[in-house]
Amino acid sequence: MQSNQNLSSVSVPETTAPLTLRSAEQIESIPRREITLADALSLALENGDVLTDLGAGVLRTPDQMQTEWTEALQRLDPQESVEAALSAYDAQLYGFGKWQNNDRRFNNRFFGGGSNAFKQDTHDYVMQLSKRTATGAQFSVRSVTDYDANNATGNLTNSAWQTQLHAEARQPLLQGGGLQFNRIAGPAALPGVYNGVLIAKVNSEVTTTQFEQGLRDYVSNVINAYWDLYFAYRDADAKREAMLRSQKTWQNYEAQRSSNRASGPSEALAREQYFRFRSEYQDAVAGKPSMRTQNNNATTGGAFAGVGGVQAAERRLRLILGIPINDGTLLRPIDEPSIAKIEFDWDSIAAEAVVMRSELRQQRLEIKRCEMELLAAKNFLLPTLDLVTIYRLRGLDKDLAGSDSALSDLGSFDLQEYEASLEFKLPVGFRQGHLAVRNAKLQVSRERAILDAQQRQIMHDLTSMVAECDRAYEQLGTNFNRYLAASDALNALDASQGTGMKVNFDQLLDAQRRVTESQSHYYSALVEYTIATKNVHLEKGTLLRSSDVLLITE
């Protein structure tokens, strides 16, 4: 059973009570906060510590969210960052000290140094400074000092200090050697496990492209939410006009019924239409929790959903802008969509998409990493052959320092040694090495095939968005003409009715519905055209630039 939480320790964001349908009738009196698209983008980037989406991804997949710390976390990763790869070449200081007392009895004097009872005190001290180089070599400077005091009968003195100074170099000549291999794989690489400086640099660049994708999607969703709210207001205005118009018609027929000049069915139908438009207006004000325009709902940048609801759309815009969800005001977009016809040069935008799309740049980096890993894997088809050289100076005396000491004997350079060796190791068959090479080749082929598929997908999506732009623009003109025709028809009926001429009642109600529907369809087509234009920029990789958003990476 879960324990009760201490509610007093929970921090609740400060916010006012939400505006709900109960406030729908007072929407005109609620204070407005006018906002431009540029202001919305500026607010979003200012508050965008977490690049949230409109699908509650921050709750479902919080570990996949891009944040302002994404690149810094990768740059400071102690395992996979560039600095982590460089740390393998840091100088290493090693120290060792050991003290030992031996008190033994032997059956044979030979084993006791001439005595059956062997007593001994020893000290051992090692200090080493080592460093790896980019060619795979390791250089070490080592001081070894030991003290031995024992009762062996053959000793020159009862106790003696010995000190040594080593200079050692180990250079791989085949496997593990070379500048290229070590920059790719690192000095401690295993087949299939590579974390050299070049690999780490590619990982850093991949993180940057992923952050750019997250920022692009974030900006796209801000734009989606802004135009969703714009449409919601326009749709609500159309529904309100229809409600007021139908209310006037109902009241007119109700007055006629009261004076026995009209039949009851006409008044009832007018009353039904009024409450129908009232219901639609209430939904246009409050909205429903349904899917709205957001990334990847049929298109990468989001297909316009055409769903109204001022309060619901306004809350979504507040959510993605990072401002309080409720503050007693209503955001009101004041920018108007452009109705100018835009024609894209296909060759230019197709070339831009291939060069600029961050997904393609990320995939090219993946291919580059796999190609480097293939080069590193081939190194494991070589046997291990290391050249090891050691130079030693020795000194021995009864004291460690001073005259007639081990250190003075060391400084005389009388005792010098040199050692060179070759270490060879060959795994018969190179089974693991061949597996690493074959795996790396398959990885290269896979990533190249994915790049080809991605390019085809992007060309398809770009084609679809260009076609959508043309479709939406034509629909914009068609729906505008439809709205004008419906308005002319209703105005003519209203004018006839105003002069006392009898009009067809069913025709009047139908004309009112047609005006409302055509008006909403016109603004829907207008926003569809705006979203489609934005999506063309997204598909060709220029959305951030066209939105005046500059991404600077360290």
Side-chain angles (χ1 to χ4, degrees), residues 179-186 189 192-206 364-380 436-437 440-441 443-444 447-448:
L179 182 63
Q180 183 186 63
F181 172 79
N182 282 275
R183 293 184 68 193
I184 294 174
V193 182
Y194 315 111
N195 192 29
V197 175
L198 294 182
I199 294 292
K201 187 173 184 296
V202 169
N203 291 338
S204 176
E205 292 172 351
V206 167
R364 293 188 190 101
L365 289 171
E366 297 286 354
I367 293 174
K368 180 180 178 181
R369 177 167 57 193
C370 289
E371 289 175 341
M372 289 191 296
E373 290 177 349
L374 175 58
L375 289 175
K378 291 180 178 178
N379 185 269
F380 288 99
V437 171
K441 286 181 178 179
Q443 286 288 349
V444 171
E447 300 304 329
R448 286 175 177 169

Side-chain angles (χ1 to χ4, degrees), residues 49-54 56-70 73 211 214 218:
D49 295 345
V50 178
L51 302 183
T52 56
D53 58 15
L54 293 173
V58 71
L59 296 178
R60 293 181 290 103
T61 55
D63 55 324
Q64 297 179 15
M65 302 303 297
Q66 296 290 334
T67 71
E68 67 169 311
W69 301 280
T70 295
L73 286 171
F211 178 77
Y218 183 61

Side-chain angles (χ1 to χ4, degrees), residues 337-533:
S338 173
I339 59 173
K341 185 175 183 180
I342 300 176
E343 295 185 359
F344 296 97
D345 179 74
W346 175 253
D347 291 338
S348 297
I349 64 175
E352 277 187 302
V354 172
V355 174
M356 300 293 293
R357 275 296 289 267
S358 55
E359 289 90 345
L360 296 183
R361 287 190 281 114
Q362 178 182 338
Q363 190 59 27
R364 293 188 190 101
L365 289 171
E366 297 286 354
I367 293 174
K368 180 180 178 181
R369 177 167 57 193
C370 289
E371 289 175 341
M372 289 191 296
E373 290 177 349
L374 175 58
L375 289 175
K378 291 180 178 178
N379 185 269
F380 288 99
L381 295 179
L382 299 174
T384 299
L385 181 63
D386 292 352
L387 172 63
V388 183
T389 60
I390 303 177
Y391 170 77
R392 297 191 195 90
L393 280 176
R394 290 182 179 271
L396 176 69
D397 217 315
K398 63 180 180 178
D399 296 320
L400 176 62
S403 59
D404 298 328
S405 65
L407 289 177
S408 63
D409 192 25
L410 178 76
S412 69
F413 290 88
D414 288 339
L415 303 175
Q416 300 185 45
E417 299 177 348
Y418 178 77
E419 176 183 331
S421 61
L422 287 172
E423 296 183 8
F424 179 80
K425 183 172 70 173
L426 185 148
V428 178
F430 289 100
R431 180 179 299 186
Q432 191 177 32
H434 283 296
L435 284 173
V437 171
R438 292 172 61 189
N439 181 271
K441 286 181 178 179
L442 289 177
Q443 286 288 349
V444 171
S445 299
R446 177 185 181 275
E447 300 304 329
R448 286 175 177 169
I450 289 178
L451 178 62
D452 291 340
Q454 286 180 333
Q455 289 177 336
R456 285 176 53 81
Q457 183 66 49
I458 287 174
M459 287 300 103
H460 167 272
D461 294 346
L462 183 60
T463 301
S464 297
M465 286 302 98
V466 172
E468 171 63 10
C469 264
D470 290 343
R471 183 204 67 82
Y473 184 79
E474 293 302 319
Q475 285 288 319
L476 177 61
T478 301
N479 280 282
F480 181 69
N481 290 328
R482 175 189 174 188
Y483 173 52
L484 290 179
S487 298
D488 289 343
L490 181 60
N491 291 336
L493 290 172
D494 286 341
S496 298
Q497 193 175 43
T499 60
M501 296 177 61
K502 187 176 181 179
V503 299
N504 184 290
F505 178 71
D506 291 336
Q507 191 177 24
L508 177 63
L509 296 185
D510 183 64
Q512 291 177 351
R513 290 192 295 269
R514 288 177 182 275
V515 167
T516 303
E517 292 173 0
S518 61
Q519 187 176 2
S520 291
H521 277 82
Y522 165 69
Y523 284 110
S524 176
L526 182 60
V527 177
E528 281 182 352
Y529 179 59
T530 303
I531 295 295
T533 303

